[in-house]
Amino acid sequence: AELLGILQYGVHINGFVRRKNKEGDEEELMMWMARRSQKKSKYRGYLDHVVAGGQPAGLSLAENCLKECEEEAGIPREIAAAGLKSAGLVSYEMYNPSRKRLQRVVLFCYDLELPEDFVPTPVDGEVDEFFLWSVEDIKNSMTPNCVDPIKPNCYLVIIDYLVRRGYLSPDTPGYVDVVRELRSGDCV
């Protein structure tokens, strides 16, 4: 697709659980993160969404999400179907100077609330491990000096999630620019 400049589509799923904080008086959202396999061809060992994948022809977005949940994270279809919610899309264009190619991508965003006692399991070899992160952990991962980076296109989906959940407020410096850039790529 990159070679021909064709628009690519994919699904990215923010998997989360609701937990009581240490004091037990407030609820906090925790996000499931995946560590990409060291055997992957791109972004080996980087952090990723609990589930993400390209969108194949002939399969609906929802069906693709359910398929990817089973294949990548061992999330049973009935759990995924019960907790999966469409959450819009982000888009971007990125030029790769070393390959002299323009990548044009639309990512359909989904939120998946998982039961607190469910733990994703690597199934197809694309992920080495899953672990939970707090919103603070996620925000800290976006600092320039983070030593454990997230796969670049995941940042867009995670930032969109933080905006929608109110963790980034309109009073945050640069808020309007950030929100505008989440959909800066071609969507058609």
Side-chain angles (χ1 to χ4, degrees), residues 11-182:
V11 295
H12 277 233
I13 300 174
N14 297 301
F16 69 94
V17 296
R18 297 176 193 271
R19 288 205 169 153
K20 293 286 184 188
N21 65 6
K22 291 176 185 167
E23 294 78 30
D25 58 350
E26 287 185 32
E27 182 179 86
E28 65 178 335
L29 294 180
M30 303 287 289
M31 185 179 285
W32 279 107
M33 301 299 293
R35 181 167 310 281
R36 292 170 63 86
S37 169
Q38 292 295 333
K39 297 174 183 167
K40 293 287 286 179
S41 62
K42 294 181 186 175
Y43 302 107
R44 289 182 191 98
Y46 275 57
L47 303 184
D48 204 338
H49 281 100
V50 68
V51 174
Q55 179 60 36
L59 202 59
S60 74
L61 292 162
E63 273 301 310
N64 190 28
C65 287
L66 297 177
K67 175 187 79 69
E68 292 285 347
C69 280
E70 285 181 317
E71 287 178 1
E72 288 186 13
I75 302 171
R77 190 170 275 265
E78 57 277 1
I79 289 177
L84 193 66
K85 301 279 188 267
S86 174
L89 60 84
V90 297
S91 62
Y92 65 92
E93 293 178 357
M94 182 173 72
Y95 181 71
N96 183 334
S98 65
R99 298 176 74 184
K100 296 183 175 135
R101 294 183 185 158
L102 178 66
Q103 187 177 20
R104 300 168 51 229
V105 180
V106 174
L107 299 176
F108 291 92
C109 306
Y110 287 83
D111 293 341
L112 174 60
E113 184 166 0
L114 292 165
E116 189 175 349
D117 61 348
F118 179 80
V119 178
T121 306
V123 176
D124 63 3
E126 292 188 23
V127 171
D128 283 342
E129 68 173 326
F130 291 99
F131 55 92
L132 281 171
W133 257 10
S134 69
V135 171
E136 283 307 307
D137 293 327
I138 294 165
K139 286 181 176 180
N140 290 337
S141 76
M142 295 186 194
T143 61
N145 59 349
C146 179
V147 296
D148 203 7
I150 296 174
K151 188 173 67 137
N153 66 352
C154 296
Y155 283 113
L156 296 173
V157 179
I158 291 171
I159 291 168
D160 182 68
Y161 174 85
L162 295 173
V163 168
R164 288 184 290 103
R165 296 286 180 164
Y167 291 108
L168 294 176
S169 102
D171 293 326
T172 303
Y175 178 86
V176 171
D177 293 328
V178 167
V179 171
R180 179 179 35 247
E181 290 299 317
L182 291 173

